[in-house]
Amino acid sequence: MRQFALQGAAVILVLSIAWPYFGWKAEAMPWLQTCLAIGSVALVFATLSRQPWWWRVIHAAFMPLIWLTHSFAIDPGWFLLAFVLLLLVYRGALSGQVPLYLSNKQTVVALAELLAEREAPHFLDLGAGVGSTTVPLADLLPDGHFTGYENAPLTWLLGRILSLGRHNIHWRWEDLWQANLAEYDVVYAFLSPTPMPDLWAKVQAEMQPGSLFVSNSFPVPGATPNRIIEVDCQPPRPLYCYQI
């Protein structure tokens, strides 16, 4: 909402000057120059409000890119299709500010070594995506029990297809907040900083003593991990391990 407000303020400021000016002169609005002006003002607003550099780039380019896209005269149906496809894949980003992250092979190996310390572990992947963690772990540890929660329809479907034939995988199309964490002795999450405080409260309320919560890349604010596993990959993706 903050970013919408900054961009909206830039639009209102520029148009409140441009419309009366060109209306008084009875001239057509030069939309390219207007969009460039809006982008410049939005950049100034984003800089003054100390937004991260990448938000400043987005603010500067947003309206000029809208003008460029409009100039292509693309059929609106394509935008609707793109929106539907993005919603099917990135529903978590819209509903819970959790984008789609795919765990790499090095992370899977590190998790497999961690799970090997437990006999027949019951492992839960919260926000399992397409199964990039759950599926290879199930292959590496056939005696384990693996569950994936995913609420984006298309990524759930891809993960369901990839998990076919693996009887030690339970693939569920549900919101991660509906999971009963007490059923698992290892819970893994690769989400974002935003949900971590609420997720940690859920972990503490539901997980059993002796169980393990593992967060990829994003530590729990205010909590000290019992162990940090440095995964040999770029960019760095440490595993923060919290013993319950």
Side-chain angles (χ1 to χ4, degrees), residues 11 65-66 99-100 105-106 114 124 139 143 146 178 180 208 227 230:
V11 170
L65 286 176
I66 287 181
L100 175 63
K105 295 180 180 178
Q106 296 92 327
L114 186 64
L124 172 62
D139 291 338
D143 292 332
F146 298 89
Q178 303 304 315
N180 181 9
Q208 300 297 317
R227 180 180 177 185
E230 299 293 346

Side-chain angles (χ1 to χ4, degrees), residues 134 137-139 141-147 165-170:
T134 308
L137 282 178
D139 291 338
L141 301 168
D143 292 332
H145 305 276
F146 298 89
T147 301
R166 294 172 172 86
H167 302 293
N168 57 344
I169 292 182
H170 187 198

Side-chain angles (χ1 to χ4, degrees), residues 126 176-177 179-182 187 189 191-208 211 213 215 218-223 242 244:
L126 295 173
L176 62 89
W177 301 106
N180 181 9
L181 305 186
V187 174
L191 303 177
S192 76
T194 302
M196 293 309 295
D198 291 337
L199 180 57
W200 181 239
K202 180 178 176 65
V203 164
Q204 291 181 303
E206 298 180 15
M207 292 187 69
Q208 300 297 317
S211 57
F213 173 64
S215 177
F218 307 111
V220 176
Y242 301 85
I244 306 304

Side-chain angles (χ1 to χ4, degrees), residues 143-186:
D143 292 332
H145 305 276
F146 298 89
T147 301
Y149 270 63
E150 177 58 42
N151 72 343
L154 187 55
T155 51
W156 172 87
L157 178 60
L158 291 174
R160 183 70 184 90
I161 293 172
L162 292 173
S163 64
L164 289 175
R166 294 172 172 86
H167 302 293
N168 57 344
I169 292 182
H170 187 198
W171 196 253
R172 302 187 63 169
W173 182 13
E174 289 192 50
D175 188 273
L176 62 89
W177 301 106
Q178 303 304 315
N180 181 9
L181 305 186
E183 300 175 1
Y184 308 94
D185 51 11
V186 179

Side-chain angles (χ1 to χ4, degrees), residues 1-15 35 37-63:
M1 296 304 297
R2 182 184 301 113
Q3 309 309 328
F4 276 123
L6 289 174
Q7 190 70 214
V11 170
I12 292 172
L13 177 61
V14 173
L15 292 184
C35 289
I38 292 173
S40 300
V41 173
L43 174 61
V44 171
F45 285 169
T47 302
L48 292 176
S49 59
R50 299 182 179 179
Q51 300 304 307
W53 69 266
W54 47 273
W55 267 122
R56 301 181 194 185
V57 173
I58 292 174
H59 279 295
F62 187 71
M63 286 305 295

